[in-house]
Amino acid sequence: MKVNFNKIPTSGRELDYIKKAMESGHLQGDGAFLKICEESIGKITGAKASLVTTSCTSALDMSALLCNIGAGDEVIVPTYTFVSSVNAFVLRGAKPVFCDIRPDTLNIDETQISELVTNRTKVIVPVHYAGVGCEMDTIMDIAKKSGVKVVEDAAQGFCAYYKGRHLGTFGDMGALSFHSTKNVIAGEGGALLCNDPSLVDRAYFIREKGTNRIRFVEGKIDKYTWVDYGSSYIPSELITAFLAAQLEIAQKLTDERVAAWNYYRDRLAPLERAGKITTAKIPSECKHNAHIFFILTESAETTKALSAFLKKREIATNSHYAPLHNCPMAKQLGCSDRPLPVAEKLAKTMLRLPIYSSITPDEQDWVAESVAAFFGEKL
Ligand SMILES: *Cc1c(COP(=O)(O)O)cnc(C)c1O
């Protein structure tokens, strides 16, 4: 049985809404659907302001501008993440300081952050890997004590919570992604959550090319002007029309994924008890969104062979990030100065199994039984 790694979710209303947007004659990025999306994201997350953007990468770029990052500033980030968590700050001249990760969640190891803080540190960037919250209490304590800002990369964290609060709403800002590979999608899209009210005005200016056009749209001024740094970070109505249809079923999509995630965990439990694989351990403070189901094996060779075995059975799997501190760009920037052993090991031994909202128990049985077959076991 062929099992895709991912299948995009649909609510069935996407085309209706895109048609509506076209009929409205207003396709630029400040129309009715943008408003609908921002209200919906605000309701779900509880953020003070939710600005939909062209991507999570754009939202992170905006956050770096809002933090006034400049040459010589340092930014603490986990090495096990997507490049955008880092590039946003590097673009403004900052130097990334990479931190190792926890073996249970693959999130930043919060116990190692304090020792990385210097008087040049400007921002800590926790990345909520797989939609499982980082240890935000500890991270916010460190940030407060050292007077640094926190920008949460919550690209994978939509509809996921830490201690009952939505991911991306703990730090000064948070960034969400609606990329086609995420749980709720717009093809390409994202949002900047602003939790510090003093940043909100500038965030709107920066999103609209550094102008106060928002005031003009609101009818407060009759001519808009250049007031800040900025770029083109606002998505078209075609995108927000699609996203609006997805946001209506965000909770349903999350519930379906969580059910699939729990099904894998239960089906694979015998293999875990037998010591063949390890799965993620979700801290009790976290209500995750099942963005990723990964397994770890005891060696890179085993994981590679398992992936090839599953491929022969038409089951698509994926590894994930190459730790950034060992990438060519990190070497060029001179910030790969020390080994980060947990990330280096787990990056090679982890494998992501197929998961999407519409995956069926039959498909999951086939995946789980195939993983067992690789280890010569029967479930
Ligand atoms: C997907 C992802 C991004 C980038 O999101 P885009 O919307 O594609 O820009 C950034 N960080 C993490 C952790 C991601 O998973």
Side-chain angles (χ1 to χ4, degrees):
M1 190 189 315
K2 184 168 154 49
V3 187
N4 290 2
F5 184 69
N6 187 25
K7 277 188 189 167
I8 62 162
T10 50
S11 77
R13 297 223 174 96
E14 287 83 357
L15 284 173
D16 285 349
Y17 288 2
I18 288 172
K19 190 157 170 269
K20 234 181 179 175
M22 290 174 71
E23 286 165 358
S24 78
H26 183 113
L27 290 185
Q28 66 210 47
D30 53 19
F33 279 112
L34 181 82
K35 211 163 165 216
I36 289 169
C37 290
E38 293 188 339
E39 275 171 14
S40 166
I41 294 166
K43 213 181 257 172
I44 292 170
T45 62
K48 295 223 165 63
S50 312
L51 286 79
V52 174
T53 57
T54 45
S55 65
C56 176
T57 302
S58 303
L60 290 165
D61 286 355
M62 288 172 65
S63 80
L65 285 165
L66 285 163
C67 290
N68 299 314
I69 297 295
D73 292 339
E74 292 178 359
V75 177
I76 298 173
V77 292
T79 187
Y80 197 66
T81 185
F82 189 63
V83 287
S84 297
S85 327
V86 180
N87 249 345
F89 302 95
V90 170
L91 269 169
R92 312 245 58 84
K95 181 179 164 229
V97 174
F98 291 109
C99 188
D100 211 346
I101 55 170
R102 294 163 49 136
D104 55 349
T105 57
L106 314 192
N107 276 335
I108 190 165
D109 183 345
E110 70 280 357
T111 66
Q112 296 188 31
I113 295 176
S114 287
E115 64 207 56
L116 301 177
V117 175
T118 71
N119 55 13
R120 296 183 153 197
T121 309
K122 269 277 183 78
V123 186
I124 301 170
V125 185
V127 180
H128 304 294
Y129 186 72
V132 179
C134 296
E135 186 38 60
M136 289 314 293
D137 279 354
T138 308
I139 294 170
M140 293 312 295
D141 273 355
I142 297 168
K144 277 203 190 99
K145 268 193 208 119
S146 25
V148 308
K149 290 202 186 301
V150 172
V151 174
E152 299 171 68
D153 182 339
Q156 303 174 15
F158 192 46
C159 296
Y161 301 82
Y162 169 86
K163 295 196 172 171
R165 221 163 114 185
H166 197 283
L167 302 185
T169 65
F170 292 84
D172 300 84
M173 285 165 274
L176 304 176
S177 175
F178 301 111
H179 185 268
S180 194
T181 53
K182 302 302 199 277
N183 292 13
V184 174
I185 65 170
E188 301 276 357
L192 180 70
L193 307 180
C194 271
N195 307 310
D196 174 354
S198 73
L199 298 173
V200 173
D201 281 346
R202 280 196 72 205
Y204 283 107
F205 300 157
I206 288 170
R207 182 173 67 167
E208 271 282 23
K209 298 98 180 167
T211 73
N212 57 357
R213 190 163 183 283
I214 180 92
R215 300 268 182 278
F216 172 75
V217 173
E218 291 166 347
K220 291 182 183 152
I221 49 176
D222 53 20
K223 210 167 173 222
Y224 64 89
T225 186
W226 181 25
V227 294
D228 209 321
Y229 296 100
S231 193
S232 181
Y233 296 125
I234 198 163
S236 117
E237 279 283 288
L238 296 173
I239 300 284
T240 47
F242 186 101
L243 181 60
Q246 293 266 318
L247 289 169
E248 287 177 356
I249 56 160
Q251 194 54 53
K252 176 177 165 275
L253 295 176
T254 309
D255 294 345
E256 287 168 356
R257 283 185 90 105
V258 169
W261 196 98
N262 291 339
Y263 192 76
Y264 268 142
R265 181 199 54 200
D266 295 346
R267 288 292 271 134
L268 294 168
L271 289 181
E272 184 147 25
R273 279 196 298 273
K276 306 289 185 194
I277 60 166
T278 311
T279 61
K281 297 293 162 292
I282 310 293
S284 60
E285 297 85 3
C286 296
K287 189 167 172 227
H288 72 120
N289 62 9
H291 178 58
I292 287 168
F293 191 96
F294 69 81
I295 60 178
L296 301 162
T297 76
E298 38 83 40
S299 74
E301 294 69 39
T302 307
T303 292
K304 229 174 148 183
L306 171 60
S307 167
F309 181 88
L310 295 173
K311 194 174 172 200
K312 271 202 199 125
R313 293 184 167 213
E314 294 193 294
I315 297 168
T317 60
N318 272 307
S319 60
H320 217 171
Y321 309 121
L324 291 176
H325 71 284
N326 281 336
C327 290
M329 185 62 177
K331 297 206 166 118
Q332 193 182 314
L333 292 169
C335 49
S336 46
D337 42 352
R338 55 200 185 96
L340 299 171
V342 179
E344 283 164 29
K345 168 146 197 268
L346 299 188
K348 288 192 204 137
T349 59
M350 80 93 78
L351 193 68
R352 290 181 292 156
L353 300 183
I355 191 162
Y356 41 91
S357 54
S358 59
I359 196 166
T360 64
D362 275 357
E363 290 171 318
Q364 291 193 273
D365 284 340
W366 173 238
V367 175
E369 283 157 17
S370 298
V371 174
F374 171 80
F375 288 106
E377 306 264 339
K378 242 180 126 90
L379 294 179

